[in-house]
Amino acid sequence: MLVIKNLFNGILPDLKEREGEYQEFYLQDVVTMYSIIGVFIIIANIAMLYLDTVFLREVQNQLLFAYLIRVSFSVFTLGAVVYIQRKPSYEVIDRLFTVWLWTAVFYFLIFNFLRSASHLTTSVDILFIFGAYVFSNIRLHKLFVIMVCFSAMSIVLIFLTKTDVPLATRSLVSTVHFFVQGVGFVSALQTQSFRRTAFLAYIKEREASQLATRLLQTDPLTECLTRRYFFELAERELSRSKRYGHSFCVLMFDLDKFKSINDQFGHLAGDQVLISFVKTVMEQKRGSDLLGRLGGEEFALLLPETDFEGGWLVANRIQDVWAQVDTPVSGLLINSTVSVGVSVLEVVDETFEELLHRADIQMYEKKNEKRELGR
């Protein structure tokens, strides 16, 4: 069994840790397909009661036994269909369908045995084998073992019990079984291989889409929001705040003497300072606050449900904490300060840019004050 499993795993595309995700991806389709097949089998099974009456009417005990088997199998199939509808999980469906297949194997073998010595059930056997290969979603190595066992036991029964059938015909039936096994296996292999390949293509497309979205939304250096995405979220928050009359505050940051850091220590050092600053702000802000990089060393922090006084409390805290942060770069410790401007939503504001512009003006006023004081 392990050898067969390893062989088939080498044939089919290997999903590795995504195997569970693959099964969940097709889960609803599998539930729907199994439910339709289950209902069809129940209807066909009930219709077969007429054939039982024809073939076994002179043997009442066997007829009653056939009725009992068909009704029991129909009830079991119906129960399985109802169960997977209520608890649709891959593990449950895989185990349940495996049990159902083994049950179906012995079910068909029983009716093969009950038929007269001159009657073959090859057509039904072929439909069962091919249908299992085409419609089953269980692992291919499990399916292969179950179907081969069915063919082997069916052929043995044919040679032992169908003594009124010519030997050449029985030998031909064996050949048909092997042929159907081959065709069914190839069909199942193609189907499962196509599904896995399609799933891998979907995953690659999804990851590419996620990467593109991440690049559009996240600054690649600091991992805060990009200017474009920050403005998009800020406009939404502004509309919400105006609609419900909530306070809304924005902080504008500009790192002091950042050009001097780049000139003296290099751009790599400047990048490390930016990363360190963003980390500091992220540690100080709330989960609902939004931090975006507007360009270069300029950042903005959006504070929903915050008034002017609350905004300055946050701004002063960040300034104080940042002033104590030393950024290590190539054995050196770089210290920096930041200038901040604060602005709150006013009734006349139509766009977020108006709000940000006031914070920007105030931030540059603070920066100019520092320059005049020689800081």
Side-chain angles (χ1 to χ4, degrees):
M1 183 75 170
L2 182 60
V3 174
I4 295 174
K5 178 179 179 180
N6 292 335
L7 176 63
F8 290 165
N9 287 341
I11 297 173
L12 292 172
D14 187 10
L15 300 179
K16 298 179 181 178
E17 69 278 358
R18 294 193 181 276
E19 185 67 40
E21 186 180 355
Y22 159 75
Q23 299 296 345
E24 293 296 328
F25 180 76
Y26 285 108
L27 180 60
Q28 195 55 52
D29 292 340
V30 171
V31 170
T32 302
M33 180 179 64
Y34 282 178
S35 300
I36 294 173
I37 293 172
V39 172
F40 175 79
I41 288 175
I42 292 171
I43 294 173
N45 203 32
I46 294 173
M48 291 295 288
L49 291 173
Y50 172 75
L51 290 180
D52 294 335
T53 304
V54 172
F55 286 108
L56 301 173
R57 60 190 174 197
E58 296 180 359
V59 189
Q60 288 297 314
N61 290 338
Q62 289 189 8
L63 180 61
L64 292 176
F65 180 69
Y67 283 173
L68 177 63
I69 294 297
R70 290 206 185 276
V71 170
S72 299
F73 186 67
S74 298
V75 171
F76 174 62
T77 302
L78 178 62
V81 169
V82 173
Y83 190 79
I84 64 174
Q85 290 286 341
R86 293 183 176 181
K87 295 186 177 181
S89 71
Y90 162 67
E91 291 80 7
V92 169
I93 292 176
D94 186 71
R95 287 195 296 267
L96 184 59
F97 190 72
T98 302
V99 172
W100 184 90
L101 270 181
W102 279 114
T103 305
V105 164
F106 290 104
Y107 167 79
F108 286 113
L109 290 174
I110 287 173
F111 280 95
N112 192 339
F113 177 76
L114 289 177
R115 295 293 182 252
S116 65
S118 61
H119 181 79
L120 293 173
T121 59
T122 308
S123 57
V124 177
D125 294 348
I126 290 173
L127 285 175
F128 173 57
I129 294 170
F130 195 73
Y133 273 121
V134 171
F135 297 111
S136 174
N137 197 54
I138 65 174
R139 295 293 184 87
L140 196 53
H141 66 275
K142 288 184 183 179
L143 182 60
F144 179 76
V145 169
I146 296 173
M147 290 299 99
V148 168
C149 287
F150 172 70
S151 283
M153 289 186 283
S154 181
I155 291 170
V156 169
L157 270 178
I158 288 172
F159 276 94
L160 291 180
T161 63
K162 308 304 177 182
T163 53
D164 292 348
V165 176
L167 182 60
T169 303
R170 283 181 279 172
S171 300
L172 180 60
V173 168
S174 302
T175 304
V176 170
H177 265 271
F178 287 119
F179 176 76
V180 173
Q181 286 285 346
V183 173
F185 173 76
V186 171
S187 300
L189 183 61
Q190 288 181 331
T191 301
Q192 295 199 18
S193 180
F194 172 79
R195 283 186 172 185
R196 287 170 176 265
T197 303
F199 174 73
L200 287 174
Y202 160 77
I203 290 297
K204 290 179 180 179
E205 182 179 351
R206 186 184 68 180
E207 289 177 345
S209 176
Q210 290 173 343
L211 177 60
T213 301
R214 186 171 183 273
L215 291 174
L216 288 173
Q217 297 179 351
T218 308
D219 179 61
L221 176 64
T222 62
E223 296 189 353
C224 65
L225 301 178
T226 59
R227 178 187 179 92
R228 177 179 178 179
Y229 190 53
F230 177 77
F231 268 78
E232 181 182 328
L233 297 179
E235 290 290 355
R236 293 181 194 173
E237 185 59 34
L238 182 140
S239 298
R240 189 188 69 85
S241 297
K242 291 187 69 174
R243 185 183 305 117
Y244 297 108
H246 295 171
S247 55
F248 179 82
C249 182
V250 63
L251 277 56
M252 184 78 176
F253 298 98
D254 189 285
L255 294 178
D256 299 326
K257 300 179 180 180
F258 185 72
K259 185 177 183 301
S260 298
I261 294 175
N262 279 334
D263 294 341
Q264 183 177 352
F265 301 102
H267 289 281
L268 178 61
D271 289 347
Q272 292 301 315
V273 170
L274 293 176
I275 294 171
S276 182
F277 175 72
V278 168
K279 181 180 178 182
T280 300
V281 177
M282 296 294 284
E283 291 172 349
Q284 298 300 316
K285 77 178 190 67
R286 301 169 302 182
S288 59
D289 300 336
L290 302 174
L291 177 64
R293 185 183 182 188
L294 304 186
E297 69 275 21
E298 291 186 343
F299 297 85
L301 181 64
L302 190 152
L303 305 172
E305 310 289 341
T306 305
D307 57 18
F308 190 76
E309 182 180 352
W312 267 116
L313 286 174
V314 175
N316 290 331
R317 185 172 71 247
I318 291 174
Q319 280 184 309
D320 293 340
V321 172
W322 176 241
Q324 303 300 317
V325 174
D326 292 323
T327 303
V329 179
S330 301
L332 300 175
L333 295 177
I334 301 175
N335 184 265
S336 174
T337 58
V338 64
S339 297
V340 189
V342 179
S343 179
V344 293
L345 178 64
E346 297 179 358
V347 178
V348 295
D349 290 330
E350 294 294 332
T351 65
F352 176 71
E353 286 189 7
E354 298 175 47
L355 188 67
L356 187 65
H357 181 64
R358 291 198 302 273
D360 189 44
I361 292 174
Q362 189 179 83
M363 182 268 294
Y364 274 105
E365 288 176 353
K366 297 294 182 181
K367 186 177 285 289
N368 289 332
E369 290 177 6
K370 288 183 181 181
R371 288 171 182 167
E372 291 174 0
L373 295 173
R375 297 180 182 177

